Amino acid sequence: MHQKGDLYYPNEDFKKIALINNREIYQEAEKDPVKFWEKLAESLSWQKKWEKTFEHNPPYVKWFVGGKINITENIFEKNPQGWEKIKDKNAIIWQPELVDEEQKIFTYKDLFEKVNKFANALKKLGVKKGDRVGIYLPMIPEVIISMLACARIGAVHTVVFSAFSPHALQVRLQDTEAKILITTDGYYRRGGVVGLKQNADEAVDNTSVEKVIVVKRAGNPVNWDEGRDLWFEEISSQESGECPAEEMDSEDLFFILYTSGSTGKPKGIMHTCGGYIVQAKFTGQWIFDLKDDDILWCTSDVGWITGHTYTIYSPLLNTVPTLIFEGAPDWPNPDRWAQIIEDNKVTTFYTAPTAIRMFEKYGLEVIEKYKFESLQLLGSVGEPIDDSAWLWYFKNVGKERCPLVDTWWQTETGGILITSLPGVGPFKPAFSGLPFPGMNFEIFDEEGNICPQGKQGNLVLLPPFNPSLLRGVYKNPEKYLETYWKDYGEKVYFTSDAAYRDENGLIRIIGRVDDVIKMAGHRLSTGELEAAVNLHPDITECAAIGIPDEIRGEVPIVFVIYKGKKGEDEVKKEVVDYIKKEIGPIALPKEVYLVDDLPKTRSGKIMRRILRKLFTGEDLGDLSTLANSEIVSKLKNKVAGNNEK
Ligand code: PRX
């Protein structure tokens, strides 16, 4: 890349071979965004062509109305590139965590057969189109086989991150009324075995799950319910390797993925078939410049939307091998991730700022010996990337050669919507860049006026939006309306992010404006944390906030008012245990404060904003509107005292 002022541009040699290397695409898309998507959609294999490309009945959208399409046909036998040409290419490269365990590689043909066999096994268990299937698996090949098998027969998968607690899994299984849960005996994490089956056993009580299918991975002992549990391999191996693809309407439900919002209950984000497939294929292809000889490593776990779209569906639709890694990127050595890139000749590396900051913290000597010659492109996602992490990544991993795409999107958008294209640019540290072609973003003030350049406001998306925008919140239409279509009316999608534009039109994301904490790129709601803590019988009130953290972006802090008789350390431990049990170890707070009171307005609303400022050092502002302003100085001393410790 080369630099002009504070902007970076791709070099001529990269531009020459890039799939998209000039700005015309932006003009073309802007002229008629619906036509733009229509043209892209035409190159996929449809079971039946759509009748109408876009239908807007605010706040509801539909894309490719009347069309029929199955994603597995587009990945496998009806792949637009031709099945004969692609069937022997590598589809999955699985890297186990244990260093001395061998990799497993699946070609498209291997994968297709496994998907069909498992799809037939699901059918035999009575799974039909539209039925929900829970998937609680770590990063092992069977997670991909399971998702694709569901897609093959039109079952709706709902993947639950393997580090979520049994309770978090149970809530999701109850909400979706899943009949089947797919899990594993255990998996490796930092050298130890994490037993997942025992969590699954706990979770399925009081749900409609009839069968639990278990992948044998770690070989650890598990409890077995003869009438309910089945081994994945056993039921698959008996089946035929052929299974017809179900006919899927563009607007049939494809999957549900739960995410956190402002309130205590997670939302089941609904994605449908047609729009999602088109968006996943072409955003991945253009943004990562995916070509025949690429190998993509997207480090996101499949439990998150990034894992769905860019670890699995986009690379497979583009017939690019996807590398999946079971373990932690710094185990057993801090350079494990670099070794994996080098050993596998990864060309495209897509990770989160938290990981980049962690790599940076280990020091340059750790990666001194790596030249990263195979890398051609770097990506970042999930949270704002600051200048220093951007530059470190660009210089020391991309060797100033690879374009670095900072990609902004959300569980709700299904695919990337803001990032400069690698063969076009420009790139600027800490900026996500330009909206993807055809995307109509604005930055609004509170009244809905467009903010002038440089002024921070609320990031909104205007019609025709994007093909893979969420279609609803599962079983909760009010939540859909209230969360996304209330602030500026039913024709404006509100992202809940603050942002501004620079003089080049590049967008910088500031962060969430709702009560969502972004820890290590994951979404945690303060409401969810508070709901977990409030289960404690002697805690009368609590408040959770996110504060800045050097590595993880943000971390939660919890304040509690405790009325019992136990000692402070014991109460703190109990609070942590409640969070662990209700949500999982990923949500653990950095600190728990026992306090006498919380700052409140006269109407009784807790002022979390003030609590947050106690940590950021910002001016506390006018406290006269508080009903109990005297508490603020007490809290300030408590926080300061703790920081000195
Ligand atoms: O706040 C934005 C932040 O992540 C939120 C969406 O989170 P989630 O649904 O978990 O999806 C994450 C992966 C797509 C957004 O509202 N976010 C995502 N990407 C970026 C980002 N913030 C800054 N820069 C990004 N590149």
Side-chain angles (χ1 to χ4, degrees):
M1 294 239 278
H2 61 276
Q3 201 176 355
K4 273 192 217 155
D6 54 358
L7 301 178
Y8 291 81
Y9 291 89
N11 282 338
E12 277 313 308
D13 50 350
F14 186 94
K15 268 180 97 161
K16 233 184 281 160
I17 55 164
L19 292 170
I20 306 293
N21 55 13
N22 66 61
R23 285 177 167 271
E24 276 164 30
I25 198 81
Y26 288 95
Q27 285 135 23
E28 185 197 320
E30 200 180 322
K31 241 189 284 159
D32 192 340
V34 171
K35 225 190 192 99
F36 164 77
W37 288 111
E38 186 177 278
K39 215 166 119 191
L40 293 176
E42 270 161 8
S43 65
L44 285 158
S45 289
W46 292 80
Q47 296 165 324
K48 179 176 168 269
K49 197 172 167 185
W50 61 94
E51 283 137 26
K52 194 171 172 198
T53 311
F54 176 65
E55 198 176 284
H56 192 192
N57 182 15
Y60 297 98
V61 293
K62 286 183 179 172
W63 282 84
F64 311 111
V65 184
K68 310 274 180 201
I69 187 167
N70 187 304
I71 194 164
T72 62
E73 285 185 332
N74 279 276
I75 293 172
F76 300 116
E77 79 273 36
K78 293 193 182 151
N79 186 307
Q81 291 189 49
W83 179 232
E84 283 308 311
K85 194 178 146 219
I86 66 141
K87 68 184 197 320
D88 297 317
K89 266 196 84 173
N90 290 343
I92 304 177
I93 302 169
W94 177 59
Q95 180 66 51
E97 181 179 82
L98 301 177
V99 179
D100 50 9
E101 187 176 346
E102 255 188 61
Q103 270 191 345
K104 270 193 199 159
I105 294 182
F106 296 74
T107 63
Y108 278 84
K109 196 164 141 223
D110 300 334
L111 182 60
F112 189 33
E113 194 187 356
K114 293 211 176 285
V115 166
N116 283 334
K117 282 178 169 239
F118 188 56
N120 282 326
L122 288 175
K123 270 182 77 172
K124 195 166 271 175
L125 293 173
V127 180
K128 290 186 291 296
K129 179 173 170 178
D131 287 346
R132 277 80 57 215
V133 172
I135 300 180
Y136 185 51
L137 283 173
M139 295 300 275
I140 56 176
E142 288 80 1
V143 76
I144 303 185
I145 297 168
S146 302
M147 289 164 79
L148 291 172
C150 288
R152 188 78 182 164
I153 61 172
V156 175
H157 60 64
T158 181
V159 180
V160 180
F161 182 42
S162 54
F164 272 135
S165 70
H167 179 259
L169 172 61
Q170 185 180 51
V171 169
R172 287 154 176 80
L173 294 172
Q174 284 168 341
D175 199 48
T176 53
E177 296 166 86
K179 276 200 204 168
I180 302 274
L181 176 65
I182 308 166
T183 188
T184 182
D185 51 359
Y187 64 99
Y188 291 91
R189 193 75 184 174
R190 297 194 177 276
V193 172
V194 180
L196 212 56
K197 171 75 164 53
Q198 65 210 49
N199 284 1
D201 288 341
E202 232 182 275
V204 295
D205 277 349
N206 299 318
T207 68
S208 45
V209 170
E210 290 161 14
K211 295 286 173 199
V212 176
I213 303 175
V214 187
V215 177
K216 200 175 207 121
R217 158 65 189 128
N220 50 314
V222 291
N223 287 333
W224 202 254
D225 179 333
E226 283 300 334
R228 187 198 67 190
D229 299 346
L230 300 156
W231 288 109
F232 184 100
E233 192 48 44
E234 255 170 44
I235 57 169
S236 294
S237 60
Q238 299 161 5
E239 297 296 331
S240 138
E242 280 172 34
C243 172
E246 186 69 41
E247 191 177 86
M248 300 302 288
D249 190 274
S250 284
E251 289 300 332
D252 276 339
L253 192 52
F254 181 7
F255 64 83
I256 304 170
L257 183 60
Y258 283 81
T259 189
S260 298
S262 307
T263 56
K265 202 170 164 272
K267 298 186 295 239
I269 302 300
M270 290 157 64
H271 283 289
T272 55
C273 297
Y276 179 84
I277 298 172
V278 174
Q279 185 110 32
K281 168 138 185 172
F282 294 100
T283 52
Q285 188 180 85
W286 291 7
I287 295 164
F288 300 121
D289 197 46
L290 294 178
K291 302 202 197 78
D292 214 32
D293 50 359
D294 280 320
I295 296 176
L296 174 75
W297 183 18
C298 165
T299 64
S300 171
D301 190 281
V302 59
W304 311 107
I305 192 70
T306 311
H308 280 59
T309 309
Y310 299 105
T311 307
I312 303 186
Y313 289 122
S314 185
L316 296 182
L317 282 165
N318 286 295
T319 327
V320 159
T322 180
L323 188 146
I324 61 167
F325 175 44
E326 181 186 34
D330 60 340
W331 194 89
N333 301 308
D335 62 341
R336 182 75 192 275
W337 61 278
Q339 189 73 51
I340 292 175
I341 293 178
E342 197 121 309
D343 289 350
N344 293 284
K345 300 198 166 47
V346 168
T347 60
T348 316
F349 184 53
Y350 188 33
T351 195
T354 291
I356 299 164
R357 290 188 292 257
M358 179 179 83
F359 302 155
E360 181 178 3
K361 194 133 199 211
Y362 278 123
L364 274 183
E365 38 319 337
V366 163
I367 52 163
E368 220 166 33
K369 64 176 188 206
Y370 299 98
K371 304 249 175 325
F372 296 118
E373 275 166 348
S374 63
L375 284 177
Q376 288 167 21
L377 195 140
L378 301 176
S380 173
V381 63
E383 41 176 326
I385 179 166
D386 49 283
D387 289 72
S388 119
W390 196 100
L391 287 167
W392 186 90
Y393 191 32
F394 174 62
K395 283 194 179 133
N396 301 302
V397 183
K399 304 288 181 193
E400 301 189 19
R401 178 174 43 82
C402 304
L404 193 179
V405 291
D406 174 28
T407 62
W408 177 93
W409 57 300
Q410 307 178 300
T411 306
E412 290 86 345
T413 69
I416 298 166
L417 298 191
I418 303 177
T419 190
S420 295
L421 292 172
V424 182
F427 305 96
K428 182 172 172 180
F431 282 72
S432 291
L434 296 172
F436 191 79
M439 289 299 102
N440 194 359
F441 277 102
E442 283 300 351
I443 292 163
F444 277 2
D445 66 13
E446 296 300 326
E447 278 76 48
N449 305 308
I450 295 177
C451 290
Q453 171 229 312
K455 183 162 184 284
Q456 187 178 315
N458 291 329
L459 182 71
V460 298
L461 180 61
L462 303 176
F465 315 106
N466 65 303
S468 62
L469 191 65
L470 82 161
R471 299 300 197 263
V473 174
Y474 194 60
K475 293 204 289 205
N476 202 342
E478 302 83 44
K479 185 110 259 166
Y480 172 72
L481 262 165
E482 176 198 318
T483 315
Y484 309 105
W485 309 100
K486 205 187 73 196
D487 294 70
Y488 298 110
E490 294 185 353
K491 289 184 183 162
V492 177
Y493 172 80
F494 180 35
T495 64
S496 294
D497 272 330
Y500 71 87
R501 271 192 158 114
D502 78 354
E503 63 281 13
N504 310 293
L506 305 183
I507 295 177
R508 177 170 189 164
I509 306 293
I510 304 298
R512 304 281 305 193
V513 294
D514 56 0
D515 292 323
V516 167
I517 302 173
K518 270 263 143 183
M519 175 157 70
H522 303 153
R523 234 157 113 166
L524 286 176
S525 91
T526 53
E528 229 173 310
L529 281 162
E530 289 168 7
V533 176
N534 278 327
L535 292 173
H536 191 298
D538 295 325
I539 286 177
T540 53
E541 237 175 332
C542 81
I545 55 163
I547 63 159
D549 180 81
E550 205 189 329
I551 301 285
R552 288 179 290 173
E554 274 191 311
V555 285
I557 296 278
V558 179
F559 291 87
V560 300
I561 303 178
Y562 172 71
K563 295 289 183 207
K565 295 202 165 49
K566 291 179 187 159
E568 187 158 336
D569 286 346
E570 202 177 338
V571 177
K572 285 183 180 179
K573 192 179 161 297
E574 286 176 0
V575 168
V576 166
D577 286 345
Y578 270 98
I579 294 173
K580 234 191 239 173
K581 180 160 182 293
E582 292 299 300
I583 309 173
I586 53 157
L588 294 189
K590 183 171 180 187
E591 190 58 72
V592 178
Y593 289 94
L594 268 61
V595 296
D596 302 331
D597 204 357
L598 292 163
K600 284 186 196 143
T601 59
R602 288 181 216 286
S603 58
K605 192 172 164 272
I606 299 173
M607 294 297 284
R608 291 181 184 74
R609 200 158 18 101
I610 290 177
L611 292 173
R612 196 167 187 272
K613 285 181 179 171
L614 297 175
F615 294 85
T616 57
E618 282 167 84
D619 180 25
L620 294 175
D622 178 14
L623 300 178
S624 64
T625 54
L626 293 183
N628 55 350
S629 57
E630 69 291 346
I631 189 67
V632 178
S633 57
K634 277 198 195 164
L635 293 173
K636 202 171 171 183
N637 290 340
K638 187 144 198 161
V639 168
N642 192 63
N643 287 345
E644 276 164 21
K645 265 197 252 161

